[in-house]
Amino acid sequence: MFREDYIIYNRSLENFFIDLSSFLIILTILFIIFLKGKINKKMLIFFGLYSLTPFIFNDILIDSSNLWDQYTNTFFTLEARNIFLDVNQYISYTDFGHYNEKQRKILLLSNYYAILPFISYSSINTIAFANKLILILTSIYLLNKNYIKKSDLFFILLFPATIIYSSLSLKAILICVLLIWSLILFFEKKYFLFLIVFFISFYLRVPFFGFVAIFILYFIVLSGVEKIKYSFLLLNF
């Protein structure tokens, strides 16, 4: 089923309209969030401008063929989207036994991308816009929950590596966002969802398992120390 003889992207008018539709969908979602009072006008403008960068990377600032994983990711996502409503074909397509380990990980991520509300994945840039969307929505959630300062968020989002990777159809941003959500769910004590996201992250990128495990262990130890200090103060009181 897997093949390498596909080149989906070309700088045609059709692909430009596909990219434009993806951008407009992000703007629509942002405007709805703005109307609900979750972001102000300045943040609406910032996130809108931040969503533009996929237009200027592939085959403009960089040669997309130098990052062939973009085409692999796009192919799997396109296949998943095309057969999404055909249950039998979808089950056959998602049979992990047909793929090697690397392809299984791509297949898992492609199914997530396929359910996002973009009109078409026939452009090499659609997954890049999907990366922008999930990164922006996560950022808005972090801001509204006061989990991060606005200045710190700006630093992270405007960091060159973040701009570049969120402007390409690579899976690094989605994996990083999954890592962030595993920590969010842990702190919010939604342990069932935490375990699901955590083990998906672990399967996709084993080093993240160590990072999250160390972070949670540190939190548990720190919480234990605080409880000991609190008990000691009560006894002395």
Side-chain angles (χ1 to χ4, degrees):
M1 178 172 273
F2 180 75
R3 63 182 187 272
E4 297 183 350
D5 58 341
Y6 54 89
I7 298 292
I8 298 171
Y9 179 78
N10 59 70
R11 296 176 64 181
S12 65
L13 188 60
E14 178 187 2
N15 274 277
F16 170 75
F17 281 121
I18 291 172
D19 292 345
L20 182 61
S21 71
S22 299
F23 174 66
L24 291 176
I25 286 170
I26 294 177
L27 284 188
T28 302
I29 293 171
L30 285 172
F31 190 68
I32 292 171
I33 294 172
F34 168 71
L35 292 178
K36 290 181 175 292
K38 299 298 183 181
I39 55 174
N40 58 34
K41 188 178 293 185
K42 289 182 180 179
M43 294 303 294
L44 173 65
I45 294 171
F46 170 77
F47 285 129
L49 293 174
Y50 193 74
S51 304
L52 283 169
T53 57
F55 281 108
I56 63 172
F57 271 83
N58 275 316
D59 295 318
I60 295 178
L61 293 181
I62 66 167
D63 184 351
S64 62
S65 63
N66 290 333
L67 296 169
W68 194 255
D69 280 356
Q70 294 188 100
Y71 290 101
T72 305
N73 297 337
T74 301
F75 169 73
F76 272 92
T77 304
L78 194 59
E79 288 288 295
R81 169 64 73 85
N82 288 341
I83 62 174
F84 212 67
L85 298 179
D86 188 330
V87 177
N88 292 328
Q89 193 176 357
Y90 182 76
I91 292 173
S92 175
Y93 173 69
T94 54
D95 184 356
F96 272 26
H98 296 160
Y99 307 98
N100 60 39
E101 188 67 19
K102 180 180 178 181
Q103 292 167 1
R104 288 170 191 160
K105 294 178 180 180
I106 298 172
L107 179 65
L108 182 62
L109 291 174
S110 69
N111 281 273
Y112 173 79
Y113 284 125
I115 64 174
L116 294 178
F118 294 104
I119 294 173
S120 173
Y121 280 89
S122 295
S123 167
I124 191 66
N125 293 320
T126 307
I127 291 177
F129 284 107
N131 285 332
K132 286 290 183 184
L133 179 61
I134 61 174
L135 183 60
I136 288 170
L137 293 179
T138 301
S139 299
I140 292 172
Y141 186 87
L142 291 171
L143 283 175
N144 278 274
K145 289 290 185 176
N146 294 316
Y147 289 152
I148 191 171
K149 294 179 181 178
K150 192 176 291 186
S151 58
D152 294 335
L153 179 65
F154 282 149
F155 175 79
I156 294 170
L157 293 180
L158 296 176
F159 195 73
T162 309
I163 294 174
I164 293 170
Y165 278 98
S166 66
S167 303
L168 300 171
S169 294
L170 300 172
K171 59 182 181 291
I173 288 295
L174 179 54
I175 294 174
C176 288
V177 167
L178 286 173
L179 172 61
I180 292 169
W181 274 102
S182 67
L183 295 174
I184 290 172
L185 293 169
F186 176 79
F187 284 121
E188 294 183 352
K189 298 182 180 180
K190 298 174 182 177
Y191 296 122
F192 179 72
L193 292 175
F194 159 72
L195 288 174
I196 293 174
V197 176
F198 177 73
F199 283 114
I200 290 174
S201 302
F202 170 67
Y203 176 71
L204 294 172
R205 193 65 60 90
V206 175
F208 282 170
F209 173 82
F211 176 82
V212 175
I214 291 171
F215 192 91
I216 292 174
L217 182 62
Y218 172 78
F219 174 79
I220 292 171
V221 170
L222 187 63
S223 298
V225 170
E226 290 299 320
K227 289 178 181 178
I228 292 171
K229 287 181 179 178
Y230 182 68
S231 299
F232 180 76
L233 288 172
L234 286 177
L235 288 173
N236 278 277
F237 182 75

